[in-house]
Structures are given as structure tokens and as C-alpha cells.
């Protein structure tokens, strides 16, 4: 069953989504070589608590941390660890918060220090594919229109692998609602998009094969060939003509830029 949100509910969801964005921005400002992803997780969890919200992922089906932090070949659902980040790593930070009865859920992938040009391109293309998907997320279109836009750009145009095992989703009072929003598919297929539907669109794009493997920890999803993967996620509300993006990369990109300038002083 699909839950359509009222205008008042969408505003509450915007608040949750923007708190996620602010949380990821705080994490972004602390990313540098030598920091552990466990430290980043604690920073995020405290920030969420300070803002009178709870971390959606903590305890979700037993997930033990506030954030999913996935390094290099980890695609999503990575556990924070006590390993120090090193220059050349990329890390995806996926955060969910629950506030005023609604979840926000967003993700962003960061470079640690200097990364290779080919990995930079993977990050850029994955983020661009998210916005191409969002362009199709309008009333009257179907889920398959979003899926096709992302797959066509990342897989067909750039030769990357689109993960098949994991998909975007509806969002609201539950972290995962209907419909599923895959990053692969055919135009004109799937659920019809109607005003008031809030979905999380989240391309998970591998530099090499689309195939993934499950780690022994029971959560972390890795690329089967060990090549890096990128992940970006926005929460959007379907409207006529243009989607309303509830989360925001603006604070995250500002923190990322400031941090990059700081790190280049090393
Ligand atoms: Mg997420
Ligand atoms: Mg999600």
C-alpha cells in the first residue's frame, strides 16, 4: 500500500530530511586521513540526539550503529570500524533520522584526501545520475522512468555497474515504504507517480561489475570484483512538473569544499 502525504506531513518530512543533510555535513567537516569511521558515527549520533531526533538505522533489523559508512569496495550498509581512513579512500555516509513521526534518509560519498581521476569520475557520474532520476520523478510518470534514466546514464553511457540487489524506496512513518525504486528498469513501467508520494532515490553504482557480495558481518554489501562503488541519496516529494527535493546537498557540499581546502594544506 502506498501512503501519500499531506502538505503538512511533507513539511515535517522536510524537517527530518534536512536534519539528515545537516548531520552528513557535520560528518563531512570531520573526514580526513587518520579519522576512524567509528568516530564519525559517534559524531553523527550525538548531533542527531542534540537535535531531538533518533537515528533511524540504529536497531533497524538489529543494525547496531547510527550510520551506514561504506568505504571503497563497500557499496552500502557498512559498519563503522576502528580502521583509520587513508588518503585515496572514498566513503559513503548514509544517515537516517526519525523526528516528529517521520523518517529522513540521505547519503553522500566523499573522497578522503586526493583520489584518482577515475574514482572522481565515478562519484561525479553517480551524483549526476541521481539528479537525472529526480528529473523524471514527476506526477504522471512511472517508477520505471526514474530507473531507466539512472541506468541509461551510468551503465549504458559510462559502462558502470548498477547494483540490482538494492533499491530506493518510499519513505514516511516507516523507513522503507512502497513502492520500491530501482536504479534499473524500463521506461513507462512500474508504479505511477502521484502528488504527495515521498520516495528516496539512491543510485548505488559500481565502477566495475554490477555484482555484489555480502560480508560475514551480515550487513556490509561489497562489490564482487573489489572495485569501488558510489552512493548518493535524496528524499523527494512527487509534484506536477518538478520534484520537491526535501533533503539538501548544499550544506554537505559546503562542508566538503571547506574540508578539501583544509586537507590540501597538509
Ligand atoms: Mg539511506
Ligand atoms: Mg534509503
Amino acid at each position: 500500500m502506498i501512503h501519500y502525504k499531506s502538505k503538512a506531513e511533507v513539511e515535517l518530512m522536510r524537517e527530518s530530511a534536512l536534519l539528515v543533510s545537516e548531520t552528513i555535513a557535520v560528518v563531512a567537516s570531520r573526514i580526513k586521513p587518520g579519522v576512524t569511521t567509528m568516530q564519525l558515527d559517534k559524531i553523527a549520533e550525538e548531533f542527531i540526539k542534540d537535535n531531538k531526533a533518533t537515528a533511524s538505522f540504529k536497531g533497524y533489523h538489529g543494525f547496531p550503529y547510527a550510520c551506514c559508512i561504506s568505504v571503497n569496495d563497500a557499496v552500502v550498509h557498512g559498519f563503522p570500524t576502528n580502521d583509520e581512513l587513508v588518503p585515496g579512500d572514498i566513503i559513503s555516509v548514509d544517515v537516517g533520522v526519525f523526528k516528529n513521526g517521520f523518517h529522513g534518509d540521505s547519503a553522500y560519498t566523499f573522497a578522503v584526501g586526493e583520489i584518482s581521476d577515475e574514482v572522481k569520475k565515478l562519484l561525479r557520474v553517480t551524483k549526476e545520475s541521481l539528479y537525472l532520476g529526480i528529473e523524471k520523478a514527476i506526477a504522471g510518470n512511472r517508477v520505471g522512468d526514474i530507473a531507466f534514466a539512472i541506468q541509461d546514464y551510468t551503465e549504458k553511457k559510462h559502462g558502470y555497474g548498477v547494483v540490482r540487489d538494492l533499491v530506493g524506496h518510499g519513505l514516511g512513518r516507516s523507513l522503507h515504504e512502497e513502492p520500491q525504486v530501482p536504479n534499473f528498469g524500463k521506461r513507462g513501467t512500474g508504479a505511477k507517480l502521484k502528488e504527495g508520494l515521498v520516495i528516496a532515490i539512491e543510485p548505488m553504482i559500481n565502477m566495475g561489475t554490477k555484482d555484489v557480495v555480502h560480508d560475514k558481518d551480515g550487513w556490509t554489501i561489497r562489490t564482487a570484483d573489489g572495485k569501488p562503488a558510489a552512493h548518493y541519496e535524496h528524499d523527494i516529494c512527487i509534484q506536477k512538473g518538478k520534484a520537491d527535493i526535501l533533503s539538501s546537498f548544499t550544506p554537505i557540499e559546503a562542508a566538503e569544499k571547506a574540508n578539501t581546502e583544509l586537507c590540501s594544506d597538509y
Side-chain angles (χ1 to χ4, degrees):
M1 185 187 159
I2 292 179
H3 300 281
Y4 298 95
K5 277 76 184 178
S6 69
K7 283 206 164 69
E9 288 173 329
V10 170
E11 290 317 308
L12 291 175
M13 291 200 71
R14 191 188 313 280
E15 205 181 309
S16 300
L18 288 177
L19 178 55
V20 175
S21 306
E22 295 292 343
T23 306
I24 298 175
V26 168
V27 170
S29 69
R30 305 291 287 271
I31 292 173
K32 64 177 181 183
V35 166
T36 72
T37 52
M38 194 65 82
Q39 290 169 326
L40 298 176
D41 182 69
K42 294 284 166 267
I43 290 163
E45 189 170 11
E46 270 179 34
F47 186 80
I48 293 167
K49 276 186 193 155
D50 288 347
N51 283 278
K52 310 207 171 1
T54 54
S56 304
F57 301 167
K58 196 161 191 177
Y60 185 80
H61 293 291
F63 188 82
Y65 302 102
C67 310
C68 297
I69 304 187
S70 308
V71 179
N72 296 332
D73 65 320
V75 185
V76 286
H77 302 170
F79 276 11
T81 72
N82 291 313
D83 297 337
E84 291 182 3
L85 294 170
V86 298
D89 281 343
I90 56 167
I91 75 165
S92 126
V93 178
D94 191 350
V95 175
V97 308
F98 185 69
K99 189 174 183 177
N100 300 322
F102 289 96
H103 292 276
D105 180 15
S106 178
Y108 197 96
T109 304
F110 299 94
V112 181
E114 257 318 296
I115 58 169
S116 70
D117 285 345
E118 65 168 351
V119 178
K120 264 184 208 163
K121 187 183 161 199
L122 172 71
L123 301 191
R124 177 175 58 78
V125 167
T126 304
K127 197 203 280 189
E128 285 168 352
S129 78
L130 169 58
Y131 287 102
L132 291 172
I134 291 171
E135 272 179 29
K136 300 293 175 192
I138 51 173
N141 274 359
R142 290 181 182 271
V143 165
D145 296 311
I146 302 171
F148 177 85
I150 294 169
Q151 182 180 21
D152 189 57
Y153 187 63
T154 55
E155 209 166 78
K156 202 157 173 219
K157 178 141 193 253
H158 288 287
Y160 295 142
V162 175
V163 176
R164 302 298 200 273
D165 304 41
L166 300 145
V167 295
H169 50 92
L171 184 73
R173 293 194 182 275
S174 300
L175 183 58
H176 295 116
E177 296 186 353
E178 287 184 47
Q180 293 197 340
V181 183
N183 301 301
F184 54 94
K186 289 194 176 73
R187 276 182 283 205
T189 63
K192 193 117 177 226
L193 303 173
K194 292 182 194 164
E195 282 173 88
L197 172 64
V198 176
I199 53 174
I201 304 178
E202 49 178 319
M204 291 159 262
I205 307 299
N206 299 345
M207 183 178 272
T209 178
K210 66 184 187 328
D211 297 331
V212 294
V213 291
H214 293 245
D215 234 32
K216 282 195 289 288
D217 65 23
W219 280 96
T220 312
I221 310 285
R222 292 183 190 281
T223 60
D225 60 8
K227 289 186 179 173
H231 177 214
Y232 293 85
E233 177 177 23
H234 264 317
D235 302 334
I236 67 109
C237 182
I238 302 294
Q239 293 184 330
K240 283 183 190 147
K242 194 168 189 268
D244 182 3
I245 305 177
L246 305 180
S247 43
S248 171
F249 286 165
T250 304
I252 300 170
E253 285 165 345
E256 180 186 38
K257 187 165 177 280
N259 196 26
T260 308
E261 280 158 11
L262 212 74
C263 284
S264 63
D265 294 340
Y266 273 83

